[in-house]
Amino acid sequence: MSYNDVSQIGYVVSLEGTKVRVNLLDSHKGQLASHRGGVNSVSQPGDLIGFEAGRHLVVARVAEMSFVEPEKAHTNKFGTMNVSDIPLRQLVCHAIGHIKSSEGRLSFISENWMLPPLGAKAVPLDKELLNVVFGIPTEDRKFSLRLGSDARTRTVEIRAGVNKLLSRHLAVLGSTGYGKSNFNALITRQIAEQFPSARIVIFDINGEYAQAFEGLKNVKQTALGTGTSTEFGSVFAKEHINYHRIPYQSLGWAGLIKLLRPSDKTQLPALRNALRSLPFVKTNPVNSNEVLVEQIDANTGNRTSFPLVDDCSPNNQAYLGGWLNVLQQQNVQRQTQWPPFKALANLVAEFGCVAASRNAGTSERNAFNYGNVLPLIKIIHQLSEDSRFTEVLDTSGGQMINASDTWDVPLQQEVDYIFGKPKGVPQDWNVHIVNLNGLADDLSPLVLGALLEMYAEVLFKRGQNNSYPTLLLLEEAHQYLRDPYAEEANQLKAYERLAKEGRKFGCSLIVSTQRPSELSSTVLAMCSNWLSLRLTNERDLNALRHAMENGNENVLSEISGLPRGDAVGFGSAFNIPVRMTIDEAEPGPASTDANFADIWSTPLSPS
């Protein structure tokens, strides 16, 4: 493949594996003006350069630039200077792929096995060739997103096909204040505008995304908590908010176990028995600290009840084992309304501490057994009394119990509301912003982990044929997608299953975080696309280093020095690791820095 219209700047003098060593022609003196004649510069490490290799043009990335003393001059005298006294300018490059021509079309192949021959011409890449290297196939352009432009020349558009970018999850990394929220808003709004049947769910930890979707239709914002909901028309504005509290029973077994974090050997069995029995108990209308189990005689209609307590009281303990036995067999009166959340404490206490008595046929509350489940009982009480928790989760009970699908109905209804309905069922929104600004930081791992447990359970039950393709944007993911080795061994990890198998069920994740080293290594490993803004922490850079299959240290070293708004993108959606300047989202999220100088310089008006 010949490029007579592009001037030669050097020639290949050495090949070592994928390393290509180049002598620059003396007339260039190792420099090219940026964009000279529309040609990309080759003046610093990280620039791209081409080599003519028969029917192909090999593309390499510059790794090193140096002066080398020549053994003999390769040109005649230039002006009054003796070039034999001038050291050679030399480049060291690494092949990253090649451009081929087929039926009049140029395409880039990201394979580094093809090398140029010795003596091959070295040429800079013009805008057309750079578009081939950084661009995407023509068939993907119709369904693609514009991310920005290449940071070196600012003349080449960087786009990514939606399917390749989202089908196997995307990790968006970067220190605070360098543009993660802007990038997330940029691509999610493009999706909402281009695809009329899109479905996007945003975990908006800081309440900053609403203004990025103003003016669009089919956008819903839900604030977890209590307040006055705002009615609105078809066009969304950031003031439009639905306030919502999650009924505790809608978390389901998996979500409540995730929330309460019981130990495996003693607490988890007691909690499972408690969850199984919960729809069959009610609080004592006379004493709210007691939970009652009722039986009705089928012949006489007489009603008898037994109080379940949350302490180790000896009262009525002789009959406790018998009542718990019929409760487990569900041979008691089924209630029509859900009891309060704190009823779990009574059930856990009784199932956890009951033991056979020395008197035949009786039972007792064993203090040692009770001590094993006491920490779990305290957690239930603390959550029930924590106003920050009850602001988000409705722990009062009172909702109707569906006798045939006791736990499935509230779970399904809540997943339908937050994450969307099954395939084929009409949906009244395309973008759902779940505003979590009112959720306390120390509760976010519990609540958000439980929400993901809910979604995973319903998603995998629906199956591949009934699941609608959904994009989950998980902001500040390090708060609730933590490394499992730092967690308790018994914890269920729905987010890992979503990362591993979610794509088969139409679930795509955008994992956005400033601390990738604190995330689950499984979730990171399942991301096939990465976009990294500035990172400086060595642990975070190491996490990125292990994921960067087709990158190199030179590209990685750029990440710690990236300016605000610049990023390195790599993965299946990109031909090669590419440094880009991300476009500004219009309108953008509410994540700008405070202007300390202006605010502090303005005198305060007297009160």
Side-chain angles (χ1 to χ4, degrees):
M1 184 180 292
S2 178
Y3 295 89
N4 296 325
D5 56 329
V6 178
S7 60
Q8 178 183 0
I9 63 171
Y11 53 91
V12 176
V13 296
S14 173
L15 299 172
E16 307 169 29
T18 61
K19 184 188 294 186
V20 181
R21 195 175 298 274
V22 181
N23 281 354
L24 291 177
L25 294 181
D26 186 71
S27 58
H28 294 290
K29 293 187 170 57
Q31 299 174 358
L32 285 175
S34 182
H35 315 301
R36 190 186 70 172
V39 174
N40 177 45
S41 69
V42 184
S43 59
Q44 65 183 36
D47 290 339
L48 300 182
I49 190 171
F51 302 102
E52 293 186 9
R55 295 177 299 138
H56 303 89
L57 184 75
V58 175
V59 178
R61 190 185 298 276
V62 177
E64 301 174 21
M65 311 186 79
S66 61
F67 283 104
V68 179
E69 296 295 334
E71 293 182 2
K72 65 177 184 177
H74 60 278
T75 62
N76 293 323
K77 291 183 179 180
F78 183 75
T80 60
M81 300 176 65
N82 186 344
V83 296
S84 62
D85 296 330
I86 301 175
L88 296 177
R89 281 79 171 174
Q90 197 171 78
L91 306 180
V92 175
C93 318
H94 291 274
I96 59 174
H98 62 274
I99 297 174
K100 71 174 184 178
S101 177
S102 177
E103 299 179 354
R105 291 175 52 191
L106 299 178
S107 59
F108 177 75
I109 311 299
S110 180
E111 297 174 349
N112 63 2
W113 57 268
M114 180 173 290
L115 298 174
L118 287 174
K121 290 182 179 179
V123 297
L125 304 182
D126 59 18
K127 183 177 179 180
E128 178 187 2
L129 297 178
L130 289 173
N131 273 313
V132 174
V133 174
F134 293 137
I136 60 176
T138 304
E139 58 271 19
D140 291 344
R141 289 192 65 85
K142 181 180 179 182
F143 302 114
S144 65
L145 306 174
R146 178 185 162 97
L147 309 183
S149 56
D150 74 295
R152 188 77 174 96
T153 70
R154 304 291 178 92
T155 61
V156 179
E157 183 182 53
I158 305 298
R159 303 186 72 89
V162 168
N163 286 337
K164 289 184 178 179
L165 188 66
L166 302 180
S167 62
R168 295 186 181 180
H169 314 313
L170 168 65
V172 181
L173 317 174
S175 301
T176 181
Y178 279 89
K180 294 189 305 298
S181 298
N182 174 75
F183 175 80
N184 295 333
L186 175 73
I187 63 171
T188 49
R189 177 159 182 135
Q190 283 187 68
I191 293 171
E193 291 175 336
Q194 295 182 28
F195 300 92
S197 299
R199 184 178 293 180
I200 304 170
V201 179
I202 301 174
F203 278 15
D204 189 3
I205 299 293
N206 299 311
E208 59 188 356
Y209 280 93
Q211 75 175 35
F213 292 90
E214 288 194 315
L216 295 184
K217 296 181 178 181
N218 299 325
V219 177
K220 178 174 75 172
Q221 180 181 195
T222 294
L224 292 186
T226 56
T228 303
S229 297
T230 306
E231 295 185 4
F232 54 92
S234 59
V235 178
F236 177 72
K238 63 182 179 181
E239 295 81 13
H240 299 159
I241 301 177
N242 297 305
Y243 286 92
H244 176 74
R245 294 168 75 203
I246 303 170
Y248 78 89
Q249 66 271 14
S250 67
L251 299 182
W253 280 37
L256 287 169
I257 291 172
K258 176 76 175 180
L259 180 71
L260 297 173
R261 298 167 293 165
S263 62
D264 276 340
K265 293 183 179 180
T266 55
Q267 296 177 3
L268 184 57
L271 180 58
R272 289 189 181 278
N273 284 328
L275 293 171
R276 185 182 296 109
S277 306
L278 191 63
F280 297 88
V281 302
K282 69 175 184 179
T283 55
N284 188 340
V286 179
N287 182 2
S288 61
N289 291 324
E290 285 185 346
V291 172
L292 297 180
V293 188
E294 293 182 320
Q295 275 187 320
I296 300 178
D297 189 291
N299 297 322
T300 65
N302 293 332
R303 188 184 300 265
T304 58
S305 62
F306 183 84
L308 303 176
V309 296
D310 59 3
D311 55 22
C312 205
S313 169
N315 297 335
N316 300 316
Q317 66 177 356
Y319 305 102
L320 175 62
W323 277 95
L324 292 182
N325 185 47
V326 296
L327 182 57
Q328 279 187 298
Q329 296 173 4
Q330 300 181 358
N331 292 328
V332 294
Q333 177 67 27
R334 177 183 286 274
Q335 301 300 317
T336 59
Q337 293 183 331
W338 285 97
F341 176 71
K342 64 181 180 181
L344 273 175
N346 298 63
L347 288 165
V348 167
E350 300 289 44
F351 278 113
C353 74
V354 66
S357 174
R358 285 172 289 183
N359 298 324
T362 62
S363 58
E364 67 178 12
R365 296 184 177 98
N366 183 278
F368 178 80
N369 292 347
Y370 179 76
N372 289 330
V373 296
L374 182 59
L376 178 58
I377 296 169
K378 289 183 176 179
I379 290 175
I380 296 171
H381 282 307
Q382 288 169 0
L383 292 176
S384 299
E385 297 167 3
D386 189 341
S387 59
R388 303 172 307 159
F389 180 79
T390 56
E391 175 77 8
V392 175
L393 264 75
D394 185 356
T395 60
S396 60
Q399 297 85 2
M400 299 301 296
I401 296 178
N402 186 294
S404 58
D405 296 309
T406 304
W407 288 95
D408 288 344
V409 168
L411 175 65
Q412 181 71 59
Q413 289 175 344
E414 198 64 23
V415 169
D416 286 351
Y417 178 83
I418 294 179
F419 297 97
K421 298 176 181 178
K423 185 178 180 180
V425 180
Q427 182 72 39
D428 60 356
W429 53 264
N430 297 121
V431 178
H432 188 190
I433 304 168
V434 184
N435 189 328
L436 302 163
N437 193 33
L439 182 62
D441 289 345
D442 58 332
L443 294 178
S444 62
L446 307 179
V447 175
L448 298 181
L451 284 177
L452 292 177
E453 293 287 347
M454 294 166 51
Y455 180 56
E457 185 171 347
V458 172
L459 179 68
F460 296 125
K461 280 183 179 178
R462 285 176 179 172
Q464 295 178 334
N465 294 331
N466 293 321
S467 298
Y468 194 86
T470 303
L471 172 63
L472 301 186
L473 169 53
L474 305 178
E475 265 283 349
E476 305 293 344
H478 56 276
Q479 293 189 24
Y480 46 95
L481 304 186
R482 293 178 176 171
D483 193 318
Y485 296 105
E487 295 182 345
E488 307 217 5
N490 68 287
Q491 284 207 325
L492 302 175
K493 303 171 184 70
Y495 52 78
E496 290 193 349
R497 192 179 177 198
L498 286 173
K500 290 178 182 176
E501 305 174 32
R503 65 178 184 84
K504 304 174 187 176
F505 297 82
C507 174
S508 177
L509 306 179
I510 297 181
V511 181
S512 180
T513 178
Q514 44 188 289
R515 292 308 310 273
S517 60
E518 295 182 4
L519 260 66
S520 162
S521 56
T522 298
V523 173
L524 291 179
M526 293 299 106
C527 294
S528 67
N529 288 296
W530 299 66
L531 187 125
S532 179
L533 297 102
R534 181 170 179 167
L535 285 171
T536 55
N537 184 276
E538 188 60 32
R539 289 180 58 197
D540 296 330
L541 290 171
N542 276 333
L544 194 59
R545 179 177 287 108
H546 295 314
M548 205 169 192
E549 297 176 0
N550 57 347
N552 56 50
E553 286 296 323
N554 291 323
V555 174
L556 191 65
S557 64
E558 295 180 17
I559 292 175
S560 60
L562 290 173
R564 183 172 183 170
D566 275 19
V568 173
F570 59 96
S572 60
F574 305 95
N575 293 331
I576 61 172
V578 54
R579 177 171 170 176
M580 69 185 81
T581 299
I582 298 171
D583 290 342
E584 287 288 334
E586 291 291 342
S591 60
T592 57
D593 296 335
N595 192 331
F596 290 92
D598 285 353
I599 296 174
W600 287 354
S601 300
T602 304
L604 295 176
S605 57
S607 56

